């Protein structure tokens, strides 16, 4: 009789363990869906992957059907990465159309201020505020077919037509330009030339750079894919030792 009781107890314990595992897996998948946090599903603390995709969402919530990266999700991730002693490096994967300027610049500054080696790779597009996000790392890559669009800042919604508005736009553009020049090898004159180009974009001002073009002007460090990016990150981690 005692044996039967023990067997039942063991079976119940196994069932509870299975439920706990299912709950844990659900939490992991939720984290992947909400935060793009792949390390929750594949625990590799040595190298953390930060994916920045779709539109950079700032103070305003994007429509439900819009793929977006939320800055309130990314910022805690970056702080956690900085505090985690087991994390040795960060790979930032970019495919973004741009978005909120201040949120994008805030994320860029945080990536740039991390004490651990960082490598970014533009795999589809790094447009608009995606440009400083791409240059914020210690070393940057772009795939041969990926594009980057450089253009002056824009603003949607209600705008007051006074000189102060123009001054505000000018100061914000200067902040972005200063960051890009500070974190890449492009010259300010060249960056401003790309921004004010009038024959590249339909009904807009700016320039499209494809793959190697972004490297040739000094905006991105190297053309390459994921394997090259990880190889470089491992090299930087090794140098840190």
């Amino acid at each position: 009789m005692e044996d039967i009781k023990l067997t039942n107890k063991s079976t119940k314990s196994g069932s509870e363990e299975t439920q706990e595992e299912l709950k844990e897996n659900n939490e992991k998948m939720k984290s992947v869906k909400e935060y793009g946090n792949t390390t929750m599903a594949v625990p590799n603390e040595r190298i953390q992957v930060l994916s920045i995709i779709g539109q950079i969402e700032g103070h305003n919530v994007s429509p439900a059907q819009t793929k977006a990266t939320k800055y309130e999700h990314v910022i805690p991730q970056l702080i956690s990465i900085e505090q985690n002693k087991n994390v040795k490096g960060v790979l930032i994967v970019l495919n973004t159309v741009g978005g909120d300027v201040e949120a994008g610049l805030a994320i860029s500054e945080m990536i740039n201020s991390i004490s651990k080696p960082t490598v970014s790779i533009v795999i589809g597009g790094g447009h608009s505020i995606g440009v400083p996000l791409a240059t914020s790392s210690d070393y940057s890559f772009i795939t041969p077919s990926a594009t980057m669009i450089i253009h002056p800042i824009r603003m949607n919604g209600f705008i007051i037509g006074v000189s102060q508005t123009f001054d505000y736009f000018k100061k914000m553009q200067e902040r972005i330009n200063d960051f890009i020049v500070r974190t890449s090898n492009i010259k300010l004159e060249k960056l401003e030339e790309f921004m004010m180009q009038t024959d590249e974009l339909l009904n807009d001002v700016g320039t499209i750079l494809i793959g190697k073009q972004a490297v040739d002007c000094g905006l991105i460090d190297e053309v390459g894919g994921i394997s090259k990016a990880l190889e470089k990150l491992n090299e930087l981690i090794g140098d840190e030792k």
Side-chain angles (χ1 to χ4, degrees):
M1 203 65 168
E2 187 66 30
D3 291 340
I4 294 172
K5 287 181 180 178
L6 287 173
T7 304
N8 288 340
K9 184 178 180 182
S10 176
T11 305
K12 184 181 178 182
S13 177
S15 176
E16 287 175 353
E17 284 179 9
T18 303
Q19 288 178 358
E20 285 297 320
E21 285 176 4
L22 286 171
K23 185 178 178 183
E24 187 179 344
N25 287 334
N26 287 335
E27 288 296 322
K28 286 179 180 179
M29 293 313 297
K30 183 180 177 183
S31 180
V32 172
K33 182 180 177 181
E34 292 295 323
Y35 302 94
N37 188 2
T38 55
T39 52
M40 290 294 290
V42 184
N44 176 8
E45 285 191 308
R46 184 173 178 274
I47 292 177
Q48 294 278 305
V49 179
L50 178 66
S51 57
I52 298 176
I53 57 174
Q55 187 171 319
I56 309 301
E57 186 180 282
H59 304 298
N60 297 318
V61 179
S62 299
Q65 68 272 21
T66 302
K67 186 80 72 175
T69 296
K70 303 174 186 293
Y71 83 110
E72 69 268 27
H73 289 176
V74 176
I75 289 173
Q77 275 186 266
L78 290 170
I79 293 171
S80 176
I81 286 167
E82 179 64 23
Q83 290 182 315
N84 191 338
K85 293 180 181 179
N86 295 321
V87 176
K88 304 302 178 186
V90 188
L91 179 68
I92 300 107
V93 182
L94 288 154
N95 187 10
T96 176
V97 295
D100 189 282
V101 172
E102 292 204 340
L105 201 55
I107 295 169
S108 299
E109 288 284 11
M110 287 197 71
I111 292 170
N112 189 245
S113 65
I114 287 178
S115 63
K116 297 165 186 185
T118 54
V119 169
S120 65
I121 177 168
V122 181
I123 58 170
H127 305 161
S128 192
I129 200 63
V131 175
L133 282 163
T135 65
S136 63
S137 59
D138 297 325
Y139 201 86
S140 56
F141 285 89
I142 184 169
T143 56
S145 62
T147 61
M148 302 186 78
I149 297 179
I150 301 171
H151 63 71
I153 61 168
R154 311 184 192 93
M155 186 168 286
N156 297 323
F158 181 72
I159 298 173
I160 301 174
V162 293
S163 61
Q164 290 92 326
T165 301
F166 175 77
D167 290 338
Y168 172 73
F169 278 16
K170 186 179 178 182
K171 286 176 182 177
M172 185 173 284
Q173 189 65 66
E174 285 173 355
R175 288 165 57 200
I176 296 168
N177 291 356
D178 174 69
F179 183 88
I180 294 170
V181 170
R182 174 160 47 95
T183 56
S184 71
N185 295 313
I186 195 170
K187 302 296 182 185
L188 179 60
E189 296 77 18
K190 192 66 180 175
L191 179 64
E192 290 178 341
E193 180 187 326
F194 283 148
M195 281 173 45
M196 303 311 295
Q197 198 95 348
T198 56
D199 57 352
E200 280 270 340
L201 302 175
L202 183 66
N203 297 328
D204 201 354
V205 179
T207 302
I208 302 174
L209 300 173
I210 304 172
K212 193 172 181 296
Q213 292 177 332
V215 176
D216 291 340
C217 69
L219 190 63
I220 298 295
D221 292 313
E222 190 176 338
V223 175
I226 292 294
S227 60
K228 273 196 171 184
L230 285 170
E231 183 182 337
K232 183 64 180 180
L233 185 54
N234 279 309
E235 180 188 316
L236 293 174
I237 291 170
D239 291 343
E240 286 288 307
K241 291 179 183 178

